[in-house]
Amino acid sequence: MRQFSSQPDPIAPLDIGLNAAAAPLAPGTLARLDFGGVPSHGAAAHSNTGALRLRLPLVPLMDAAMHEIWHVQAAVSNGQCDAIHWARGGGWLVAALELDESAHGGIEAATARAYAALRAFQALQPERHVLRVWNYLADINAGAGDGERYKLFCAGRSRGLGNGFVGAYPAATAIGHRDPMRGLIVYWLACAQPGMRVENPRQLSAWRYPRQYGPAAPGFARGMRLPAGTLAISGTASIVGHASLHIGDFDAQLQESLANIEALLAAADMPAGFDAHAPLKVYLRRAQDLPALRAALARRLPPTTPLQIMLGDVCRAELLVEIDGWRM
Ligand code: 3EB
């Protein structure tokens, strides 16, 4: 009798790296993410090594363009299912889709369509647990009141998912891009084993936000411990409780965002502070804040902390900066 036949397959460690240098993709590369530039075939393409290659329309602000590599010690394969491009290996799955909003009835309907497709696709995959999602959409703050595009996006996400993620929200980021040629881009990381959601004691859970932030509360967790131990950190801004703090004060917003991440690290039982094992991605609304950002980060973070800085609009118009990343 095989005593351990019901044990799940082991999950290969997932390694996240930021690189400046161009190098051929190593075997075991699950995904390579590039920011800025012009894609030849929409957001996603497959490399000959099996990796998913994503080109994302957020303009990098660093001198050397950085790209992100997700690597597993396992064989990687890939494919396409309607609009969804994917790669899998070692118990992990990365997938992406880009929808042209105008062809799908606007941002709310396009988002509902994207999330219904995500849910239907995920239901058929062995890597059925969606742990981390990124959303990039144009003009995220355009429109007033409940008609603001981010709020329409939240409504579409909630409708498209139905009861899909209820009680198992992934960690997430939602950021505005400024490329009129690109659509709604959703990409995600899923796994054959569940992760562990982490909430931030300094912040109200986003799915409990009061009505003033829109008719559908955003369905995401502040962080996710991946099965291999890494913490995925959701987009984190200057929000305490549910209120935006330090309106008009870039430095204070940055400090509050970092304080939020530090509180999340503690809640997740991860090592405190930042270092070479905590790659961070900073989304800046205004390029003019780059010198202040650089100066503050130089004081606040060890120089070994891998950083990407890019232009991106935070989903609340009064917020100037948001940070997401990983803690390994
Ligand atoms: C916030 O904390 C800032 O709608 O998926 C951060 C991360 C934010 C994810 C999302 C929104 C989302 O509410 C905004």
Side-chain angles (χ1 to χ4, degrees), residues 133 135 150 153-154 157 172-174 203 206 209 218-220 222 234-237 239 314-316 319 322:
V133 185
N135 306 275
Y150 172 66
F153 160 86
C154 287
R157 172 169 58 183
T173 295
Q203 299 187 294
Y209 279 172
F220 70 95
R222 299 291 177 188
S234 288
T236 306
I239 296 174
V314 185
C315 62
R316 295 187 186 182
L319 295 177
E322 183 169 304

